[in-house]
Amino acid sequence: MKEKFGTLADGTEASLYTITSGPITAVISDYGATLVKLFVPDAMGKPADVVLGFDDPNQYATSTSFMGAVVGRNANRIGGAGFDLNGRHFALDANDHGRNNLHSGVNYYKDRLWTVIRHEENRLILTLESPDGDQGFPGNAFIAVTYQLEEGKTLRIIYDAQCNKDTVFNFTNHSYFNLAGHDHPEKAMEQILSMPARHFNAADAESIPTGELRSVENTPMDFRAPKPIGRDIDADYDALKLQAGYDHNFEAFAAPCAILSDRDSGRIMAVSTDCPGVQLYTGNFLQDEKGKDGVIYHRRSGVCLETQFAPDAVNHPQWRQPVTKAGERYHSETAYKFA
Protein backbone atom coordinates (compact mmCIF):
# COMPACT_ATOMS: atom_id res chain seq x y z
CA MET A 1 0.00 0.00 0.00
CA LYS A 2 1.15 3.52 -0.83
CA GLU A 3 -0.29 6.59 0.90
CA LYS A 4 0.45 10.27 1.30
CA PHE A 5 2.72 11.15 4.22
CA GLY A 6 2.74 14.93 3.95
CA THR A 7 4.00 17.99 2.14
CA LEU A 8 7.47 19.30 2.94
CA ALA A 9 8.36 22.97 3.29
CA ASP A 10 9.57 23.14 -0.33
CA GLY A 11 6.33 21.66 -1.64
CA THR A 12 7.70 18.14 -2.12
CA GLU A 13 5.21 15.35 -1.45
CA ALA A 14 6.46 12.52 0.75
CA SER A 15 4.81 9.10 0.69
CA LEU A 16 4.51 6.07 2.94
CA TYR A 17 4.86 2.48 1.68
CA THR A 18 3.59 -0.50 3.65
CA ILE A 19 5.04 -4.00 3.41
CA THR A 20 3.85 -7.08 5.30
CA SER A 21 4.82 -10.66 6.02
CA GLY A 22 2.66 -12.70 8.37
CA PRO A 23 2.18 -10.74 11.60
CA ILE A 24 4.91 -8.15 10.91
CA THR A 25 4.24 -4.87 9.12
CA ALA A 26 6.77 -2.17 8.20
CA VAL A 27 5.99 1.33 6.98
CA ILE A 28 8.74 3.19 5.12
CA SER A 29 8.85 6.69 3.69
CA ASP A 30 10.59 7.73 0.50
CA TYR A 31 11.70 10.77 2.49
CA GLY A 32 15.08 9.67 3.83
CA ALA A 33 14.31 6.01 3.05
CA THR A 34 13.08 6.14 6.64
CA LEU A 35 11.65 3.27 8.66
CA VAL A 36 8.63 5.07 10.14
CA LYS A 37 6.74 2.18 11.77
CA LEU A 38 7.43 -1.46 12.56
CA PHE A 39 4.59 -3.51 14.01
CA VAL A 40 5.63 -6.73 15.78
CA PRO A 41 3.38 -9.04 17.86
CA ASP A 42 3.97 -9.72 21.55
CA ALA A 43 3.80 -13.14 23.21
CA MET A 44 -0.02 -13.03 23.01
CA GLY A 45 -0.04 -11.99 19.36
CA LYS A 46 -0.89 -8.34 19.98
CA PRO A 47 1.08 -6.05 17.62
CA ALA A 48 2.82 -2.85 18.67
CA ASP A 49 4.95 -0.31 16.84
CA VAL A 50 8.48 -0.86 18.17
CA VAL A 51 10.40 2.02 16.56
CA LEU A 52 10.38 5.69 17.51
CA GLY A 53 9.32 8.18 14.87
CA PHE A 54 7.12 11.07 13.80
CA ASP A 55 3.69 11.58 12.27
CA ASP A 56 4.81 14.25 9.79
CA PRO A 57 7.76 14.32 7.36
CA ASN A 58 8.54 17.91 8.40
CA GLN A 59 9.40 16.63 11.87
CA TYR A 60 11.95 14.28 10.32
CA ALA A 61 13.31 17.27 8.39
CA THR A 62 13.84 19.42 11.48
CA SER A 63 14.87 16.74 13.96
CA THR A 64 18.55 15.96 14.52
CA SER A 65 17.88 12.54 16.06
CA PHE A 66 17.97 10.63 12.72
CA MET A 67 15.01 8.46 13.70
CA GLY A 68 14.67 5.51 11.33
CA ALA A 69 16.96 7.11 8.77
CA VAL A 70 19.34 5.51 6.30
CA VAL A 71 22.71 7.17 6.95
CA GLY A 72 25.41 7.52 4.28
CA ARG A 73 27.77 7.83 2.56
CA ASN A 74 29.47 7.35 5.91
CA ALA A 75 27.63 6.59 9.11
CA ASN A 76 28.97 7.88 12.43
CA ARG A 77 31.99 10.14 12.82
CA ILE A 78 35.12 11.06 10.90
CA GLY A 79 37.68 12.86 13.03
CA GLY A 80 39.01 16.15 11.71
CA ALA A 81 36.18 16.21 9.14
CA GLY A 82 38.35 14.73 6.43
CA PHE A 83 40.34 11.79 5.14
CA ASP A 84 43.07 10.91 2.65
CA LEU A 85 42.43 8.54 -0.24
CA ASN A 86 44.75 7.77 -3.17
CA GLY A 87 47.05 10.62 -2.22
CA ARG A 88 44.32 13.23 -2.09
CA HIS A 89 42.68 14.86 0.93
CA PHE A 90 38.89 15.09 1.03
CA ALA A 91 37.39 17.74 3.31
CA LEU A 92 33.93 17.17 4.78
CA ASP A 93 31.48 19.29 6.77
CA ALA A 94 32.72 19.96 10.30
CA ASN A 95 29.21 19.55 11.70
CA ASP A 96 30.15 17.94 15.03
CA HIS A 97 31.97 19.94 17.73
CA GLY A 98 33.04 22.33 14.98
CA ARG A 99 35.83 20.06 13.76
CA ASN A 100 34.51 16.55 13.15
CA ASN A 101 32.09 15.06 10.64
CA LEU A 102 28.94 13.29 11.78
CA HIS A 103 26.78 11.13 9.49
CA SER A 104 28.46 12.62 6.39
CA GLY A 105 27.58 16.27 6.94
CA VAL A 106 24.66 18.64 6.85
CA ASN A 107 23.35 17.54 3.44
CA TYR A 108 22.05 14.36 5.01
CA TYR A 109 20.54 11.47 3.09
CA LYS A 110 17.70 11.60 5.64
CA ASP A 111 16.61 14.90 4.10
CA ARG A 112 16.37 13.70 0.50
CA LEU A 113 13.52 12.16 -1.44
CA TRP A 114 14.54 8.68 -2.56
CA THR A 115 13.13 6.99 -5.67
CA VAL A 116 11.03 3.87 -5.17
CA ILE A 117 11.80 1.42 -7.97
CA ARG A 118 9.99 -1.63 -6.62
CA HIS A 119 7.12 -2.07 -4.16
CA GLU A 120 5.95 -5.61 -3.49
CA GLU A 121 3.90 -7.12 -0.69
CA ASN A 122 6.95 -7.85 1.46
CA ARG A 123 9.69 -5.75 -0.17
CA LEU A 124 10.50 -2.15 -0.98
CA ILE A 125 13.56 -0.95 -2.93
CA LEU A 126 14.59 2.72 -2.89
CA THR A 127 17.44 4.34 -4.80
CA LEU A 128 19.46 7.54 -4.61
CA GLU A 129 22.03 9.10 -6.91
CA SER A 130 24.88 10.93 -5.22
CA PRO A 131 27.07 13.02 -7.55
CA ASP A 132 30.83 13.45 -7.41
CA GLY A 133 31.72 15.78 -4.54
CA ASP A 134 28.38 15.25 -2.78
CA GLN A 135 29.01 15.77 0.96
CA GLY A 136 32.69 16.03 0.00
CA PHE A 137 33.04 12.38 -1.08
CA PRO A 138 34.56 11.36 -4.42
CA GLY A 139 32.72 9.81 -7.34
CA ASN A 140 29.25 9.52 -8.83
CA ALA A 141 27.48 6.95 -6.69
CA PHE A 142 24.31 4.95 -7.22
CA ILE A 143 22.80 3.63 -3.99
CA ALA A 144 19.97 1.17 -3.39
CA VAL A 145 18.37 0.22 -0.07
CA THR A 146 16.01 -2.74 0.22
CA TYR A 147 13.60 -3.30 3.10
CA GLN A 148 12.48 -6.93 3.05
CA LEU A 149 10.22 -8.88 5.42
CA GLU A 150 10.86 -12.62 5.56
CA GLU A 151 8.84 -15.55 6.90
CA GLY A 152 6.78 -13.35 9.18
CA LYS A 153 9.62 -12.80 11.62
CA THR A 154 12.58 -10.96 10.04
CA LEU A 155 13.20 -7.46 8.74
CA ARG A 156 16.24 -7.46 6.48
CA ILE A 157 17.83 -4.22 5.29
CA ILE A 158 20.11 -4.58 2.26
CA TYR A 159 22.50 -1.87 1.09
CA ASP A 160 23.95 -1.88 -2.42
CA ALA A 161 26.10 0.81 -3.99
CA GLN A 162 28.53 1.43 -6.83
CA CYS A 163 30.74 4.38 -7.75
CA ASN A 164 32.95 5.42 -10.66
CA LYS A 165 35.75 6.42 -8.27
CA ASP A 166 37.23 4.87 -5.16
CA THR A 167 35.02 6.15 -2.35
CA VAL A 168 33.77 5.61 1.18
CA PHE A 169 30.63 3.51 1.61
CA ASN A 170 29.46 2.83 5.15
CA PHE A 171 25.69 2.73 5.50
CA THR A 172 23.49 2.08 8.51
CA ASN A 173 19.92 2.43 9.73
CA HIS A 174 19.42 4.73 12.70
CA SER A 175 16.17 3.31 14.13
CA TYR A 176 15.51 3.68 17.84
CA PHE A 177 13.96 0.44 19.11
CA ASN A 178 11.66 0.01 22.09
CA LEU A 179 10.27 -3.51 22.19
CA ALA A 180 7.65 -2.51 24.76
CA GLY A 181 6.23 -0.25 22.06
CA HIS A 182 7.24 3.25 21.07
CA ASP A 183 4.48 4.59 23.36
CA HIS A 184 6.21 3.23 26.47
CA PRO A 185 9.38 5.36 26.55
CA GLU A 186 9.83 4.75 30.27
CA LYS A 187 10.51 1.06 29.61
CA ALA A 188 13.32 1.38 27.06
CA MET A 189 16.23 1.12 29.50
CA GLU A 190 14.58 -1.78 31.34
CA GLN A 191 14.96 -4.01 28.30
CA ILE A 192 17.53 -6.76 28.34
CA LEU A 193 20.52 -6.62 26.01
CA SER A 194 23.18 -9.19 25.30
CA MET A 195 26.15 -8.82 22.95
CA PRO A 196 29.02 -11.29 22.54
CA ALA A 197 31.48 -8.44 21.90
CA ARG A 198 34.78 -8.74 23.77
CA HIS A 199 36.01 -5.27 22.81
CA PHE A 200 34.73 -1.78 22.07
CA ASN A 201 36.27 1.34 20.60
CA ALA A 202 37.36 3.71 23.34
CA ALA A 203 36.67 7.32 22.33
CA ASP A 204 37.50 10.83 23.45
CA ALA A 205 35.08 13.47 24.71
CA GLU A 206 34.02 14.19 21.11
CA SER A 207 33.27 10.49 20.42
CA ILE A 208 36.28 10.10 18.11
CA PRO A 209 38.01 6.73 18.65
CA THR A 210 41.40 6.99 20.32
CA GLY A 211 42.63 3.90 18.50
CA GLU A 212 42.33 1.73 21.60
CA LEU A 213 40.28 -1.46 21.29
CA ARG A 214 39.39 -1.89 24.93
CA SER A 215 38.31 -5.12 26.60
CA VAL A 216 34.83 -5.17 28.10
CA GLU A 217 36.07 -7.48 30.86
CA ASN A 218 35.17 -6.20 34.34
CA THR A 219 33.60 -3.01 32.94
CA PRO A 220 30.02 -1.68 32.57
CA MET A 221 30.50 -2.24 28.82
CA ASP A 222 30.25 -6.01 29.21
CA PHE A 223 26.98 -7.36 27.76
CA ARG A 224 28.18 -10.91 27.25
CA ALA A 225 25.76 -11.90 30.00
CA PRO A 226 22.29 -10.42 29.40
CA LYS A 227 21.45 -7.41 31.56
CA PRO A 228 19.06 -4.45 31.59
CA ILE A 229 20.48 -1.69 29.41
CA GLY A 230 20.07 0.88 32.15
CA ARG A 231 21.63 -1.14 34.96
CA ASP A 232 25.16 0.25 34.56
CA ILE A 233 24.51 3.20 32.26
CA ASP A 234 25.36 5.83 34.88
CA ALA A 235 28.32 3.95 36.36
CA ASP A 236 31.45 5.85 37.35
CA TYR A 237 33.36 4.75 34.26
CA ASP A 238 35.22 7.07 31.90
CA ALA A 239 33.69 5.79 28.65
CA LEU A 240 30.15 6.23 29.94
CA LYS A 241 30.82 9.63 31.49
CA LEU A 242 32.44 10.97 28.32
CA GLN A 243 29.51 9.93 26.11
CA ALA A 244 26.74 10.53 28.70
CA GLY A 245 25.74 6.88 28.46
CA TYR A 246 26.23 4.20 25.82
CA ASP A 247 27.29 5.59 22.45
CA HIS A 248 30.05 3.18 21.49
CA ASN A 249 31.04 0.83 18.70
CA PHE A 250 31.33 -2.84 19.68
CA GLU A 251 32.86 -5.59 17.58
CA ALA A 252 30.27 -7.64 15.67
CA PHE A 253 32.22 -10.86 15.13
CA ALA A 254 29.36 -13.26 15.86
CA ALA A 255 25.79 -13.78 14.69
CA PRO A 256 23.69 -12.51 16.25
CA CYS A 257 25.79 -9.53 17.30
CA ALA A 258 23.05 -8.34 19.66
CA ILE A 259 19.86 -9.67 21.24
CA LEU A 260 17.33 -7.27 22.73
CA SER A 261 14.31 -8.44 24.72
CA ASP A 262 11.40 -7.01 26.67
CA ARG A 263 10.21 -9.05 29.62
CA ASP A 264 6.68 -7.68 29.80
CA SER A 265 5.71 -8.16 26.15
CA GLY A 266 7.91 -11.18 25.52
CA ARG A 267 9.30 -9.62 22.33
CA ILE A 268 12.84 -10.58 21.35
CA MET A 269 14.94 -9.07 18.55
CA ALA A 270 18.18 -10.67 17.35
CA VAL A 271 20.46 -8.56 15.14
CA SER A 272 22.81 -10.19 12.61
CA THR A 273 25.08 -8.40 10.17
CA ASP A 274 28.10 -8.73 7.90
CA CYS A 275 29.42 -5.39 9.21
CA PRO A 276 32.45 -5.42 11.54
CA GLY A 277 30.77 -3.35 14.23
CA VAL A 278 27.56 -2.33 15.93
CA GLN A 279 27.10 1.08 17.55
CA LEU A 280 25.08 0.89 20.75
CA TYR A 281 23.40 4.27 21.31
CA THR A 282 20.92 4.79 24.12
CA GLY A 283 19.32 8.04 22.99
CA ASN A 284 21.34 10.09 25.46
CA PHE A 285 20.59 13.31 23.58
CA LEU A 286 16.90 12.89 22.86
CA GLN A 287 15.24 16.03 24.20
CA ASP A 288 11.49 15.75 24.72
CA GLU A 289 10.62 15.27 21.05
CA LYS A 290 6.94 14.92 20.21
CA GLY A 291 6.71 11.61 18.42
CA LYS A 292 4.02 9.47 16.86
CA ASP A 293 0.56 9.54 18.42
CA GLY A 294 1.57 12.51 20.59
CA VAL A 295 4.06 10.47 22.62
CA ILE A 296 6.93 12.50 24.08
CA TYR A 297 10.32 10.87 23.65
CA HIS A 298 12.52 11.81 26.56
CA ARG A 299 16.20 11.08 27.06
CA ARG A 300 16.90 7.35 26.64
CA SER A 301 13.46 6.47 25.26
CA GLY A 302 14.92 4.00 22.75
CA VAL A 303 18.03 2.10 21.80
CA CYS A 304 19.89 2.11 18.49
CA LEU A 305 21.89 -0.88 17.28
CA GLU A 306 23.61 0.61 14.24
CA THR A 307 25.57 -1.94 12.22
CA GLN A 308 28.52 -0.31 10.47
CA PHE A 309 32.27 0.09 10.14
CA ALA A 310 34.00 1.50 13.19
CA PRO A 311 33.76 5.28 13.63
CA ASP A 312 36.63 7.11 11.91
CA ALA A 313 37.79 3.81 10.38
CA VAL A 314 38.94 5.56 7.21
CA ASN A 315 41.59 7.30 9.35
CA HIS A 316 42.70 4.07 11.06
CA PRO A 317 44.29 1.97 8.29
CA GLN A 318 44.85 -0.96 10.67
CA TRP A 319 41.07 -1.43 10.92
CA ARG A 320 38.74 -2.91 8.32
CA GLN A 321 38.25 -0.16 5.77
CA PRO A 322 34.98 1.32 4.45
CA VAL A 323 36.51 1.97 1.02
CA THR A 324 34.95 0.55 -2.15
CA LYS A 325 37.01 0.57 -5.33
CA ALA A 326 35.76 2.22 -8.51
CA GLY A 327 33.32 -0.02 -10.38
CA GLU A 328 33.12 -2.57 -7.58
CA ARG A 329 29.85 -3.37 -5.85
CA TYR A 330 29.28 -2.54 -2.20
CA HIS A 331 26.84 -4.95 -0.60
CA SER A 332 25.86 -5.28 3.04
CA GLU A 333 22.96 -6.85 4.91
CA THR A 334 21.55 -6.55 8.42
CA ALA A 335 18.71 -8.71 9.70
CA TYR A 336 16.43 -8.05 12.66
CA LYS A 337 14.78 -11.33 13.63
CA PHE A 338 11.82 -11.20 15.99
CA ALA A 339 10.43 -13.84 18.30
Side-chain angles (χ1 to χ4, degrees):
M1 180 176 67
K2 175 184 176 181
E3 58 185 313
K4 182 178 178 179
F5 191 19
T7 304
L8 295 159
D10 64 358
T12 301
E13 295 289 339
S15 299
L16 294 173
Y17 296 81
T18 299
I19 58 174
T20 61
S21 177
I24 296 181
T25 296
V27 181
I28 302 108
S29 177
D30 51 6
Y31 185 65
T34 301
L35 179 61
V36 176
K37 301 176 183 179
L38 181 62
F39 291 95
V40 177
D42 64 10
M44 302 302 292
K46 182 180 179 181
D49 184 1
V50 299
V51 293
L52 278 56
F54 301 114
D55 289 324
D56 188 296
N58 291 285
Q59 292 177 275
Y60 285 101
T62 57
S63 174
T64 58
S65 59
F66 292 87
M67 288 189 189
V70 169
V71 183
R73 291 187 194 188
N74 183 78
N76 216 310
R77 292 168 174 85
I78 294 179
F83 62 94
D84 295 325
L85 182 62
N86 298 334
R88 179 183 168 189
H89 183 75
F90 293 90
L92 310 173
D93 291 333
N95 64 319
D96 190 44
H97 293 278
R99 52 183 165 266
N100 303 313
N101 179 265
L102 174 63
H103 295 330
S104 300
V106 294
N107 189 16
Y108 302 115
Y109 284 2
K110 80 175 185 68
D111 296 327
R112 305 188 195 188
L113 198 70
W114 292 57
T115 299
V116 172
I117 63 168
R118 183 168 297 175
H119 182 202
E120 300 170 349
E121 181 180 4
N122 70 323
R123 182 170 63 154
L124 182 73
I125 304 177
L126 308 100
T127 64
L128 185 71
E129 294 186 22
S130 176
D132 187 23
D134 187 15
Q135 303 172 313
F137 293 95
N140 297 305
F142 180 82
I143 300 150
V145 174
T146 301
Y147 287 92
Q148 185 167 292
L149 295 177
E150 301 171 355
E151 299 176 345
K153 57 186 177 182
T154 299
L155 169 63
R156 186 179 303 276
I157 305 179
I158 304 167
Y159 308 90
D160 288 288
Q162 200 164 17
C163 191
N164 65 340
K165 294 181 181 179
D166 294 1
T167 197
V168 172
F169 283 143
N170 176 25
F171 302 98
T172 196
N173 182 275
H174 206 293
S175 287
Y176 294 73
F177 292 95
N178 183 343
L179 297 187
H182 86 98
D183 54 347
H184 292 285
E186 75 285 356
K187 294 184 178 181
M189 294 298 104
E190 298 174 6
Q191 287 161 41
I192 309 300
L193 178 65
S194 66
M195 295 192 295
R198 300 161 298 188
H199 301 89
F200 72 98
N201 291 99
D204 63 19
E206 297 178 356
S207 298
I208 302 300
T210 63
E212 176 192 4
L213 294 176
R214 188 182 299 182
S215 173
V216 302
E217 187 79 29
N218 298 319
T219 77
M221 316 300 282
D222 193 349
F223 285 90
R224 291 176 295 178
K227 66 179 181 181
I229 299 170
R231 190 184 78 181
D232 300 326
I233 198 169
D234 291 315
D236 186 13
Y237 183 67
D238 64 337
L240 291 173
K241 294 173 81 172
L242 285 170
Q243 271 67 60
Y246 295 108
D247 190 5
H248 302 83
N249 183 71
F250 291 77
E251 60 184 354
F253 69 92
C257 64
I259 299 175
L260 184 68
S261 62
D262 176 61
R263 285 173 171 166
D264 292 340
S265 68
R267 293 186 185 91
I268 301 171
M269 182 180 77
V271 183
S272 298
T273 185
D274 52 15
C275 293
V278 55
Q279 183 90 2
L280 168 63
Y281 174 52
T282 46
N284 309 313
F285 301 104
L286 288 177
Q287 296 181 345
D288 300 337
E289 297 201 51
K290 185 178 180 180
K292 292 176 290 188
D293 308 316
V295 176
I296 303 299
Y297 302 137
H298 305 287
R299 184 173 184 242
R300 298 175 178 170
S301 290
V303 56
C304 301
L305 293 163
E306 304 162 64
T307 57
Q308 57 192 247
F309 288 86
D312 200 32
V314 71
N315 289 320
H316 293 266
Q318 72 274 26
W319 297 347
R320 187 170 153 189
Q321 289 295 290
V323 174
T324 297
K325 296 291 185 182
E328 293 185 357
R329 178 191 179 205
Y330 171 93
H331 179 84
S332 181
E333 300 187 10
T334 296
Y336 307 85
K337 184 177 182 180
F338 295 91

